[in-house]
Structures are given as C-alpha cells and as structure tokens.
Amino acid sequence: MNFLGLQSLITIVSHMFFILLSFWAFKGIRIENLIKKNNIAQARVLYLFVSITVGYTVSTFFMDLILNSQNLIFLFY
C-alpha cells in the first residue's frame, strides 16, 4: 500500500471516529426545550449536521497537528 493510500485511509477513519464521537457527546445535551413540537425530523437532521461539522473540524485539527509535528524536524536541518 502506498503512502498516499494509507494517509487517505487514516484520514477517513479519523473523520468517522470523531464524527461518531461528537454524535455520542451531543446525546448528553438536553435540547428538547429548543425544539418546536412536531419538528423532530428537522431536529435530527440539524443534530446530524452539527455532529458532522464538529467531528470533521476536530479530526482535521488532529490530523494537521500530527502532520505539523512530523514536519518540525525540518526546522533543524
């Protein structure tokens, strides 16, 4: 497996992991007071989109942090 394929696999797994983690974490928040009655479908879609946004952002942060920490060795060459 080449480096680019392995990096893509790690990125996809990282994104999915953090999206699922944020979805799980948002279940701990009580947002029933903010949702209008009979708008459950819209609330679920919003819940999903917010989870995807937060999970993707956190995953991108950690992937960039790892990449930048690996590139620090070039500072001393």
Side-chain angles (χ1 to χ4, degrees):
M1 191 180 302
N2 59 10
F3 177 73
L4 191 58
L6 183 62
Q7 184 180 6
S8 298
L9 180 66
I10 291 171
T11 302
I12 290 171
V13 168
S14 173
H15 288 341
M16 293 305 293
F17 172 74
F18 281 108
I19 288 170
L20 290 173
L21 187 66
S22 67
F23 188 77
W24 173 76
F26 280 129
K27 283 188 171 184
I29 298 174
R30 300 186 82 196
I31 59 169
E32 292 85 15
N33 298 336
L34 300 174
I35 300 171
K36 293 180 183 177
K37 292 184 180 182
N38 300 324
N39 289 348
I40 294 175
Q42 290 91 345
R44 287 180 182 166
V45 170
L46 178 65
Y47 191 69
L48 179 67
F49 285 165
V50 171
S51 295
I52 290 171
T53 304
V54 170
Y56 175 80
T57 305
V58 172
S59 176
T60 303
F61 168 76
F62 278 109
M63 295 302 290
D64 285 343
L65 184 69
I66 291 169
L67 180 66
N68 289 327
S69 65
Q70 288 175 346
N71 290 336
L72 275 177
I73 62 169
F74 295 116
L75 183 65
F76 301 110
Y77 279 113

Coordinates of all heavy atoms in Angstrom, one line a residue:
M1 N 0.9 -1.2 0.0 CA 0.0 0.0 0.0 C 0.9 1.2 0.0 O 1.8 1.3 0.8 CB -0.9 0.0 1.2 CG -2.0 1.0 1.2 SD -3.1 1.1 2.6 CE -3.8 -0.6 2.7
N2 N 0.6 2.1 -0.9 CA 1.5 3.3 -1.0 C 1.1 4.3 0.1 O 0.1 4.2 0.8 CB 1.4 4.0 -2.3 CG 0.0 4.4 -2.7 OD1 -0.9 4.4 -1.9 ND2 -0.1 4.8 -4.0
F3 N 2.0 5.3 0.3 CA 1.8 6.3 1.4 C 0.5 7.1 1.2 O -0.2 7.4 2.2 CB 3.0 7.2 1.4 CG 2.9 8.3 2.4 CD1 3.0 8.0 3.8 CD2 2.6 9.6 2.1 CE1 2.9 9.0 4.7 CE2 2.5 10.6 3.0 CZ 2.7 10.3 4.4
L4 N 0.2 7.5 0.0 CA -1.0 8.3 -0.2 C -2.3 7.6 0.1 O -3.2 8.1 0.7 CB -1.0 8.8 -1.7 CG -2.1 9.9 -2.0 CD1 -1.9 11.1 -1.1 CD2 -2.0 10.3 -3.5
G5 N -2.3 6.3 -0.3 CA -3.5 5.4 0.1 C -3.6 5.2 1.6 O -4.7 5.3 2.1
L6 N -2.5 5.0 2.2 CA -2.5 4.8 3.7 C -2.9 6.1 4.4 O -3.7 6.1 5.3 CB -1.1 4.4 4.2 CG -1.0 4.1 5.7 CD1 -1.9 2.9 6.0 CD2 0.4 3.8 6.0
Q7 N -2.5 7.3 3.9 CA -2.8 8.5 4.5 C -4.3 8.8 4.3 O -5.0 9.3 5.2 CB -2.0 9.7 3.9 CG -2.3 11.0 4.5 CD -1.5 12.1 3.9 OE1 -0.8 11.9 2.9 NE2 -1.5 13.3 4.5
S8 N -4.9 8.5 3.2 CA -6.3 8.6 2.9 C -7.1 7.7 3.8 O -8.1 8.2 4.3 CB -6.6 8.3 1.4 OG -5.9 9.2 0.6
L9 N -6.7 6.5 4.0 CA -7.4 5.6 4.9 C -7.4 6.1 6.3 O -8.5 6.1 7.0 CB -6.8 4.2 4.8 CG -7.4 3.1 5.7 CD1 -8.9 2.9 5.2 CD2 -6.6 1.9 5.7
I10 N -6.3 6.6 6.8 CA -6.2 7.1 8.2 C -7.1 8.3 8.3 O -7.8 8.5 9.3 CB -4.7 7.4 8.5 CG1 -3.9 6.1 8.7 CG2 -4.6 8.2 9.8 CD1 -2.4 6.3 8.8
T11 N -7.1 9.2 7.3 CA -7.9 10.4 7.4 C -9.4 10.1 7.4 O -10.2 10.6 8.2 CB -7.6 11.3 6.2 OG1 -6.3 11.6 6.1 CG2 -8.5 12.6 6.2
I12 N -9.8 9.1 6.6 CA -11.2 8.7 6.6 C -11.6 8.1 7.9 O -12.7 8.4 8.5 CB -11.5 7.7 5.4 CG1 -11.5 8.5 4.1 CG2 -12.9 7.1 5.6 CD1 -11.5 7.6 2.9
V13 N -10.8 7.2 8.5 CA -11.1 6.6 9.8 C -11.1 7.6 10.9 O -12.0 7.6 11.7 CB -10.0 5.5 10.1 CG1 -10.1 5.0 11.5 CG2 -10.2 4.3 9.1
S14 N -10.2 8.6 10.8 CA -10.2 9.7 11.8 C -11.4 10.5 11.7 O -12.0 10.8 12.8 CB -8.9 10.5 11.6 OG -9.0 11.7 12.5
H15 N -11.8 10.9 10.5 CA -13.1 11.7 10.4 C -14.3 10.9 10.9 O -15.1 11.5 11.7 CB -13.3 12.1 8.9 CG -12.4 13.1 8.4 ND1 -11.6 14.0 9.1 CD2 -12.1 13.4 7.1 CE1 -10.9 14.7 8.4 NE2 -11.2 14.4 7.1
M16 N -14.4 9.7 10.6 CA -15.6 8.9 11.0 C -15.6 8.7 12.5 O -16.6 8.8 13.2 CB -15.6 7.5 10.3 CG -15.9 7.6 8.8 SD -17.4 8.5 8.4 CE -18.6 7.4 9.1
F17 N -14.4 8.5 13.1 CA -14.3 8.3 14.5 C -14.7 9.6 15.3 O -15.5 9.5 16.2 CB -12.8 7.9 14.9 CG -12.6 7.9 16.4 CD1 -13.1 6.9 17.2 CD2 -11.9 9.0 17.0 CE1 -12.9 6.9 18.6 CE2 -11.7 9.0 18.4 CZ -12.2 8.0 19.2
F18 N -14.2 10.7 14.8 CA -14.6 12.0 15.5 C -16.0 12.4 15.3 O -16.6 13.0 16.1 CB -13.6 13.1 15.2 CG -12.3 12.9 15.9 CD1 -11.1 12.5 15.3 CD2 -12.2 13.2 17.3 CE1 -9.9 12.4 16.0 CE2 -11.0 13.1 18.0 CZ -9.9 12.7 17.3
I19 N -16.5 12.1 14.1 CA -18.0 12.4 13.9 C -18.8 11.5 14.8 O -19.8 12.0 15.4 CB -18.3 12.1 12.4 CG1 -17.7 13.2 11.5 CG2 -19.8 12.1 12.2 CD1 -17.8 13.0 10.0
L20 N -18.5 10.2 14.9 CA -19.3 9.4 15.8 C -19.1 9.8 17.3 O -20.1 9.8 18.1 CB -18.9 7.9 15.6 CG -19.3 7.3 14.3 CD1 -18.7 5.9 14.2 CD2 -20.8 7.2 14.2
L21 N -17.9 10.2 17.6 CA -17.7 10.7 19.0 C -18.4 12.0 19.3 O -19.0 12.1 20.4 CB -16.1 10.9 19.2 CG -15.7 11.2 20.6 CD1 -15.9 10.0 21.5 CD2 -14.2 11.6 20.6
S22 N -18.5 12.9 18.4 CA -19.3 14.1 18.6 C -20.8 13.8 18.6 O -21.5 14.4 19.4 CB -18.9 15.2 17.5 OG -19.4 14.8 16.3
F23 N -21.2 12.9 17.8 CA -22.6 12.5 17.8 C -23.0 11.9 19.2 O -24.0 12.2 19.8 CB -22.9 11.5 16.7 CG -24.3 11.1 16.5 CD1 -25.2 12.0 15.9 CD2 -24.9 9.9 17.0 CE1 -26.5 11.7 15.7 CE2 -26.2 9.6 16.8 CZ -27.0 10.5 16.2
W24 N -22.1 11.0 19.7 CA -22.3 10.4 21.0 C -22.3 11.5 22.1 O -23.1 11.5 23.0 CB -21.2 9.4 21.3 CG -21.2 8.8 22.6 CD1 -22.1 7.9 23.2 CD2 -20.3 9.2 23.7 NE1 -21.8 7.6 24.5 CE2 -20.7 8.4 24.8 CE3 -19.3 10.0 23.8 CZ2 -20.0 8.5 26.0 CZ3 -18.6 10.1 25.0 CH2 -19.0 9.4 26.1
A25 N -21.4 12.5 22.0 CA -21.2 13.5 23.0 C -22.5 14.4 23.0 O -22.9 14.9 24.1 CB -20.0 14.3 22.8
F26 N -23.0 14.7 21.8 CA -24.2 15.6 21.7 C -25.4 14.9 22.3 O -26.4 15.6 22.6 CB -24.5 16.0 20.3 CG -23.6 17.2 19.9 CD1 -22.9 17.1 18.7 CD2 -23.5 18.3 20.6 CE1 -22.1 18.1 18.2 CE2 -22.7 19.4 20.2 CZ -22.0 19.3 19.0
K27 N -25.4 13.6 22.4 CA -26.6 13.0 23.1 C -26.7 13.3 24.5 O -27.8 13.2 25.1 CB -26.4 11.4 22.9 CG -26.8 11.0 21.5 CD -26.8 9.4 21.5 CE -27.4 8.9 20.2 NZ -27.5 7.5 20.2
G28 N -25.6 13.8 25.1 CA -25.7 14.2 26.5 C -26.3 15.5 26.8 O -26.5 15.9 27.9
I29 N -26.5 16.3 25.7 CA -27.1 17.6 25.8 C -28.6 17.5 25.7 O -29.1 16.9 24.8 CB -26.5 18.6 24.8 CG1 -25.0 18.7 24.9 CG2 -27.2 19.9 24.8 CD1 -24.4 19.5 23.8
R30 N -29.3 18.2 26.6 CA -30.8 18.2 26.5 C -31.2 19.4 25.7 O -31.2 20.6 26.2 CB -31.4 18.3 27.9 CG -31.0 17.2 28.8 CD -31.7 17.2 30.1 NE -33.0 16.6 29.9 CZ -34.0 16.8 30.7 NH1 -33.9 17.5 31.8 NH2 -35.2 16.3 30.5
I31 N -31.6 19.1 24.5 CA -32.0 20.2 23.6 C -33.5 20.2 23.3 O -34.0 20.9 22.4 CB -31.2 20.2 22.2 CG1 -31.5 18.9 21.5 CG2 -29.8 20.4 22.4 CD1 -31.0 18.8 20.1
E32 N -34.3 19.4 24.1 CA -35.7 19.3 23.9 C -36.4 20.6 24.0 O -37.4 20.9 23.4 CB -36.3 18.3 24.8 CG -35.9 16.8 24.5 CD -34.6 16.5 25.2 OE1 -34.2 17.2 26.1 OE2 -34.0 15.5 24.9
N33 N -35.9 21.5 24.9 CA -36.5 22.8 25.1 C -36.4 23.7 23.9 O -37.2 24.7 23.8 CB -35.9 23.5 26.4 CG -36.1 22.6 27.6 OD1 -37.1 21.8 27.7 ND2 -35.3 22.8 28.6
L34 N -35.4 23.5 23.1 CA -35.2 24.4 21.9 C -35.9 23.9 20.7 O -36.0 24.7 19.7 CB -33.7 24.4 21.6 CG -32.8 24.9 22.7 CD1 -31.3 24.8 22.3 CD2 -33.1 26.4 23.0
I35 N -36.4 22.7 20.7 CA -37.1 22.1 19.5 C -38.6 22.4 19.6 O -39.2 22.2 20.6 CB -36.8 20.6 19.4 CG1 -35.3 20.4 19.3 CG2 -37.6 20.0 18.2 CD1 -35.0 18.9 19.5
K36 N -39.1 22.9 18.5 CA -40.6 23.1 18.4 C -41.3 21.7 18.3 O -40.7 20.8 17.8 CB -40.9 23.9 17.2 CG -40.5 25.3 17.3 CD -40.9 26.1 16.0 CE -40.3 27.5 16.0 NZ -40.7 28.2 14.8
K37 N -42.5 21.7 18.8 CA -43.3 20.4 18.7 C -43.5 20.1 17.2 O -43.7 21.0 16.4 CB -44.6 20.6 19.4 CG -44.4 20.6 20.9 CD -45.7 20.7 21.6 CE -45.5 20.8 23.1 NZ -46.7 20.7 23.8
N38 N -43.5 18.8 16.9 CA -43.8 18.3 15.5 C -42.7 18.6 14.5 O -42.9 18.6 13.3 CB -45.1 18.7 15.0 CG -46.2 18.3 15.9 OD1 -46.2 17.2 16.5 ND2 -47.3 19.1 16.0
N39 N -41.5 19.0 15.0 CA -40.3 19.2 14.1 C -39.2 18.3 14.4 O -38.0 18.7 14.4 CB -39.9 20.7 14.2 CG -40.8 21.6 13.6 OD1 -41.7 21.3 12.9 ND2 -40.6 22.9 13.9
I40 N -39.5 17.0 14.7 CA -38.5 16.1 15.1 C -37.5 15.7 14.0 O -36.3 15.6 14.2 CB -39.2 14.8 15.7 CG1 -39.9 15.2 17.0 CG2 -38.2 13.7 16.0 CD1 -40.7 14.1 17.6
A41 N -38.0 15.6 12.8 CA -37.2 15.3 11.6 C -36.2 16.4 11.4 O -35.0 16.1 11.2 CB -38.0 15.0 10.4
Q42 N -36.6 17.6 11.4 CA -35.7 18.7 11.2 C -34.6 18.8 12.3 O -33.4 19.1 12.1 CB -36.4 20.1 11.2 CG -37.2 20.2 10.0 CD -38.7 19.8 10.2 OE1 -39.0 19.0 11.1 NE2 -39.5 20.2 9.3
A43 N -35.0 18.5 13.6 CA -34.1 18.5 14.7 C -33.0 17.4 14.5 O -31.9 17.6 14.8 CB -34.8 18.3 16.0
R44 N -33.4 16.2 14.0 CA -32.5 15.1 13.8 C -31.5 15.4 12.8 O -30.3 15.1 12.9 CB -33.2 13.8 13.5 CG -34.0 13.2 14.7 CD -34.7 12.0 14.3 NE -35.4 11.5 15.5 CZ -36.3 10.5 15.4 NH1 -36.6 10.0 14.3 NH2 -36.9 10.1 16.5
V45 N -32.0 16.1 11.7 CA -31.0 16.5 10.6 C -30.1 17.5 11.1 O -28.9 17.5 10.8 CB -31.8 17.0 9.4 CG1 -30.9 17.6 8.4 CG2 -32.6 15.9 8.7
L46 N -30.5 18.5 11.9 CA -29.7 19.5 12.4 C -28.6 18.9 13.4 O -27.5 19.2 13.3 CB -30.5 20.6 13.2 CG -29.7 21.7 13.8 CD1 -28.9 22.5 12.8 CD2 -30.6 22.5 14.7
Y47 N -29.1 17.9 14.2 CA -28.2 17.2 15.1 C -27.1 16.5 14.4 O -26.0 16.5 14.8 CB -29.2 16.3 15.9 CG -28.6 15.6 17.1 CD1 -28.3 16.3 18.2 CD2 -28.4 14.2 17.1 CE1 -27.8 15.6 19.3 CE2 -27.9 13.6 18.2 CZ -27.6 14.3 19.3 OH -27.1 13.6 20.4
L48 N -27.5 15.9 13.3 CA -26.5 15.1 12.4 C -25.5 16.1 11.8 O -24.3 15.8 11.8 CB -27.3 14.3 11.4 CG -26.4 13.5 10.4 CD1 -25.7 12.4 11.1 CD2 -27.3 13.0 9.3
F49 N -26.0 17.2 11.2 CA -25.1 18.2 10.6 C -24.2 18.8 11.6 O -23.0 19.0 11.3 CB -25.9 19.2 9.9 CG -26.6 18.8 8.6 CD1 -27.5 19.5 7.9 CD2 -26.2 17.6 8.0 CE1 -28.1 19.1 6.8 CE2 -26.7 17.2 6.8 CZ -27.7 17.9 6.2
V50 N -24.6 19.1 12.8 CA -23.8 19.7 13.8 C -22.7 18.7 14.2 O -21.5 19.0 14.4 CB -24.6 20.2 15.0 CG1 -23.7 20.6 16.1 CG2 -25.4 21.4 14.5
S51 N -23.1 17.4 14.3 CA -22.2 16.4 14.7 C -21.1 16.2 13.6 O -19.9 16.1 13.9 CB -22.9 15.1 14.9 OG -23.7 15.1 16.0
I52 N -21.5 16.3 12.4 CA -20.6 16.1 11.3 C -19.6 17.3 11.2 O -18.4 17.2 11.1 CB -21.3 16.0 9.9 CG1 -22.0 14.6 9.8 CG2 -20.3 16.2 8.7 CD1 -22.9 14.5 8.6
T53 N -20.1 18.5 11.4 CA -19.3 19.7 11.4 C -18.3 19.7 12.6 O -17.1 19.9 12.3 CB -20.2 21.0 11.6 OG1 -21.1 21.0 10.5 CG2 -19.3 22.2 11.5
V54 N -18.7 19.4 13.8 CA -17.8 19.4 14.9 C -16.8 18.2 14.7 O -15.6 18.4 15.0 CB -18.6 19.3 16.2 CG1 -17.6 19.0 17.4 CG2 -19.4 20.5 16.4
G55 N -17.2 17.0 14.4 CA -16.3 15.9 14.2 C -15.3 16.1 13.2 O -14.1 15.8 13.3
Y56 N -15.7 16.7 12.0 CA -14.8 16.9 10.9 C -13.7 18.0 11.3 O -12.5 17.8 11.0 CB -15.5 17.4 9.7 CG -14.6 17.8 8.5 CD1 -14.1 16.8 7.7 CD2 -14.3 19.1 8.3 CE1 -13.2 17.2 6.7 CE2 -13.5 19.5 7.3 CZ -13.0 18.5 6.5 OH -12.1 18.9 5.4
T57 N -14.2 19.0 12.0 CA -13.3 20.1 12.5 C -12.2 19.5 13.5 O -11.0 19.8 13.3 CB -14.1 21.2 13.1 OG1 -15.0 21.7 12.1 CG2 -13.2 22.4 13.4
V58 N -12.7 18.8 14.4 CA -11.8 18.2 15.4 C -10.8 17.2 14.7 O -9.6 17.2 15.0 CB -12.5 17.5 16.5 CG1 -11.6 16.8 17.5 CG2 -13.3 18.6 17.3
S59 N -11.3 16.4 13.8 CA -10.4 15.4 13.1 C -9.4 16.2 12.3 O -8.2 15.8 12.3 CB -11.3 14.5 12.2 OG -10.5 13.7 11.5
T60 N -9.8 17.2 11.6 CA -8.9 18.0 10.8 C -7.8 18.6 11.7 O -6.6 18.7 11.3 CB -9.6 19.1 10.0 OG1 -10.6 18.4 9.2 CG2 -8.7 19.8 9.1
F61 N -8.2 19.1 12.8 CA -7.3 19.7 13.7 C -6.2 18.7 14.2 O -5.0 19.0 14.1 CB -8.0 20.3 15.0 CG -7.0 20.6 16.1 CD1 -6.3 21.8 16.0 CD2 -6.9 19.8 17.2 CE1 -5.4 22.1 17.1 CE2 -6.1 20.1 18.2 CZ -5.3 21.3 18.2
F62 N -6.6 17.5 14.5 CA -5.7 16.5 15.0 C -4.8 16.0 13.8 O -3.6 15.8 14.0 CB -6.4 15.3 15.7 CG -6.7 15.6 17.1 CD1 -8.0 15.8 17.5 CD2 -5.7 15.7 18.1 CE1 -8.4 16.1 18.8 CE2 -6.0 15.9 19.4 CZ -7.4 16.1 19.8
M63 N -5.4 15.9 12.7 CA -4.5 15.4 11.5 C -3.5 16.5 11.2 O -2.4 16.2 10.9 CB -5.4 15.1 10.3 CG -6.4 14.0 10.5 SD -5.6 12.4 10.9 CE -4.8 12.1 9.4
D64 N -3.9 17.7 11.2 CA -2.9 18.8 11.0 C -1.9 18.9 12.0 O -0.7 19.2 11.8 CB -3.6 20.2 10.8 CG -4.4 20.3 9.5 OD1 -4.1 19.5 8.6 OD2 -5.2 21.2 9.4
L65 N -2.3 18.7 13.3 CA -1.3 18.7 14.4 C -0.3 17.6 14.2 O 0.9 17.8 14.4 CB -2.1 18.5 15.7 CG -1.3 18.6 17.0 CD1 -0.7 20.0 17.2 CD2 -2.1 18.2 18.2
I66 N -0.7 16.4 13.9 CA 0.2 15.3 13.7 C 1.2 15.6 12.5 O 2.4 15.4 12.6 CB -0.6 14.0 13.4 CG1 -1.2 13.6 14.7 CG2 0.4 12.9 12.9 CD1 -2.2 12.4 14.5
L67 N 0.6 16.1 11.4 CA 1.4 16.4 10.2 C 2.4 17.5 10.5 O 3.6 17.4 10.2 CB 0.5 16.8 9.1 CG 1.3 17.2 7.8 CD1 2.0 16.0 7.2 CD2 0.3 17.8 6.8
N68 N 2.0 18.6 11.2 CA 2.9 19.6 11.5 C 4.0 19.2 12.5 O 5.1 19.7 12.5 CB 2.2 20.9 12.0 CG 1.4 21.5 10.9 OD1 1.8 21.5 9.8 ND2 0.2 22.1 11.3
S69 N 3.6 18.4 13.5 CA 4.6 17.9 14.4 C 5.7 17.0 13.7 O 6.8 17.0 14.1 CB 4.0 17.1 15.6 OG 3.4 16.0 15.1
Q70 N 5.3 16.3 12.7 CA 6.2 15.5 11.9 C 7.1 16.4 11.1 O 8.3 16.0 10.9 CB 5.5 14.5 11.0 CG 4.8 13.4 11.7 CD 4.0 12.5 10.7 OE1 3.7 12.9 9.6 NE2 3.6 11.3 11.2
N71 N 6.6 17.5 10.7 CA 7.4 18.4 9.9 C 8.3 19.3 10.7 O 9.1 20.1 10.1 CB 6.5 19.3 9.0 CG 5.9 18.5 7.9 OD1 6.4 17.5 7.5 ND2 4.7 19.0 7.4
L72 N 8.3 19.3 12.0 CA 9.1 20.1 12.9 C 10.6 19.7 12.7 O 11.5 20.6 13.0 CB 8.7 20.0 14.3 CG 7.6 20.9 14.8 CD1 7.2 20.6 16.2 CD2 7.9 22.3 14.6
I73 N 10.9 18.5 12.3 CA 12.3 18.1 12.2 C 13.0 18.9 11.1 O 14.2 19.0 11.1 CB 12.4 16.6 12.0 CG1 11.7 16.2 10.7 CG2 11.9 15.8 13.1 CD1 12.1 14.8 10.2
F74 N 12.2 19.4 10.1 CA 12.8 20.1 9.0 C 13.2 21.5 9.5 O 14.0 22.2 8.8 CB 11.8 20.2 7.9 CG 11.5 18.9 7.2 CD1 10.3 18.4 7.2 CD2 12.5 18.2 6.6 CE1 10.0 17.2 6.7 CE2 12.3 17.0 6.1 CZ 11.0 16.5 6.1
L75 N 12.8 21.9 10.7 CA 13.2 23.2 11.2 C 14.7 23.2 11.6 O 15.4 24.2 11.6 CB 12.3 23.6 12.4 CG 12.5 24.9 13.1 CD1 12.2 26.0 12.2 CD2 11.7 25.0 14.4
F76 N 15.2 22.0 12.0 CA 16.5 21.9 12.5 C 17.5 21.4 11.4 O 18.7 21.2 11.7 CB 16.6 21.0 13.7 CG 15.7 21.4 14.8 CD1 14.5 20.8 15.1 CD2 16.0 22.6 15.5 CE1 13.7 21.2 16.1 CE2 15.1 23.0 16.5 CZ 14.0 22.3 16.8
Y77 N 17.1 21.3 10.2 CA 18.1 20.9 9.1 C 18.6 22.1 8.4 O 18.1 23.1 8.2 CB 17.4 20.1 8.1 CG 17.2 18.6 8.5 CD1 16.0 18.1 8.8 CD2 18.4 17.8 8.6 CE1 15.9 16.7 9.1 CE2 18.3 16.5 9.0 CZ 17.0 16.0 9.3 OH 16.9 14.7 9.6

